[in-house]
Amino acid sequence: MRRTPSPASVPTAAERVRSILAAAHSMTVVSDGRHHEIRRLDGTGAMGHFHLHAAWEGTGTPSPVRVPVRLELTDIAPTPVRDRLRARVTLTGVLRAPYDPDATDSTCMEFGQGVLEESGGRAYVTLQELEATELDPLATCEAGILTHLVDDHADLVPRLLQLVRPRPEPGVTKVVPVAIDRYGLTLRLEHRRGHHDARIPFRTPVRDLDHVGPQIHALLSAARRLSHTGHLLA
């Protein structure tokens, strides 16, 4: 049986949603029975296009127009691995006017519910949780970090198998970094007939972008020491 990482070593559902919203390059907006593909999110993320707020609590008369809306986003691994879909995020709510895909200002959306779907299951996120969650400092540069590891340090990545616990069973044919966040690095271990992911936590959470390099080097150094002392995989 594979050990599930402790909650302290993985992002919360709210952190995952915030990271996906910040790093998204596109999303689908479903409103009035129409699907709008929005592909101009570079540099702003989904929340540069939509402004989320709580349900109307004013003292005056609320707007008579309430248009249901749904935002759909997918999180795709930036590295060449099997099954690149990592997660889906769906935000539902209402608008006070019909959705205008050509609007230059952000659209105000009354938040209803957030849903995160990953291989491990489904989680629901509230607006309060999103607002209280600090954005992962690696969220918008994760793709660059992972592709750098694959393109420039592909020979070093397999060494990290030394740190995987419990030890992988024989038959691993390929090791590729598939995700990184402030808490650690996730490797995709591919076999002839399948794959699974292995989580390697950092010693301490990354505080800022400058902190991630030393953390990765620390993992590689630890893996090298295990190799040299004979703690090899069976």
Side-chain angles (χ1 to χ4, degrees):
M1 178 180 296
R2 300 195 178 279
R3 182 175 57 191
T4 301
S6 66
S9 66
V10 297
T12 65
E15 286 177 307
R16 285 286 291 126
V17 170
R18 277 217 62 185
S19 291
I20 293 170
L21 293 177
H25 294 287
S26 65
M27 69 177 169
T28 301
V29 180
V30 183
S31 185
D32 282 338
R34 299 180 180 180
H35 288 64
H36 305 275
E37 299 297 330
I38 309 301
R39 303 187 184 279
R40 48 189 172 88
L41 302 180
D42 290 353
T44 63
M47 295 305 92
H49 193 78
F50 276 85
H51 169 67
L52 305 180
H53 65 90
W56 186 83
E57 297 177 350
T59 57
T61 302
S63 170
V65 179
R66 294 180 62 80
V67 183
V69 63
R70 184 170 75 250
L71 311 183
E72 300 174 348
L73 303 97
T74 55
D75 178 34
I76 305 296
T79 48
V81 294
R82 298 172 182 167
D83 189 12
R84 293 181 63 195
L85 177 63
R86 299 189 301 190
R88 298 183 189 274
V89 168
T90 303
L91 305 182
T92 58
V94 295
L95 308 177
R96 298 186 186 181
Y99 175 66
D100 179 6
D102 298 320
T104 56
D105 295 330
S106 62
T107 301
C108 193
M109 172 180 166
E110 184 178 306
F111 188 86
Q113 179 176 262
V115 182
L116 171 69
E117 296 177 274
E118 298 179 293
S119 59
R122 177 181 298 176
Y124 297 89
V125 177
T126 67
L127 180 61
Q128 290 75 19
E129 289 172 327
L130 288 178
E131 292 178 336
T133 298
E134 180 183 356
L135 179 64
D136 190 311
L138 306 186
T140 58
C141 55
E142 180 197 20
I145 295 172
L146 294 178
T147 54
H148 173 71
L149 284 173
V150 170
D151 294 341
D152 298 338
H153 303 289
D155 58 322
L156 300 179
V157 172
R159 296 183 184 180
L160 294 172
L161 282 177
Q162 300 288 344
L163 304 179
V164 174
R165 297 293 182 271
R167 296 182 178 182
E169 298 176 359
V172 175
T173 60
K174 186 178 180 181
V175 183
V176 184
V178 71
I180 190 170
D181 53 65
R182 71 191 312 161
Y183 301 105
L185 178 68
T186 301
L187 301 177
R188 174 67 51 85
L189 278 53
E190 297 188 357
H191 307 264
R192 289 186 60 188
R193 291 188 173 85
H195 63 268
H196 71 276
D197 292 346
R199 180 79 175 176
I200 303 177
F202 294 137
R203 290 184 177 179
T204 58
V206 171
R207 298 183 301 274
D208 53 54
L209 185 57
D210 292 336
H211 191 209
V212 68
Q215 291 277 30
I216 293 175
H217 286 298
L219 294 181
L220 290 170
S221 296
R224 189 181 304 112
R225 286 195 300 272
L226 287 177
S227 296
H228 291 167
T229 55
H231 291 78
L232 302 178
L233 296 176

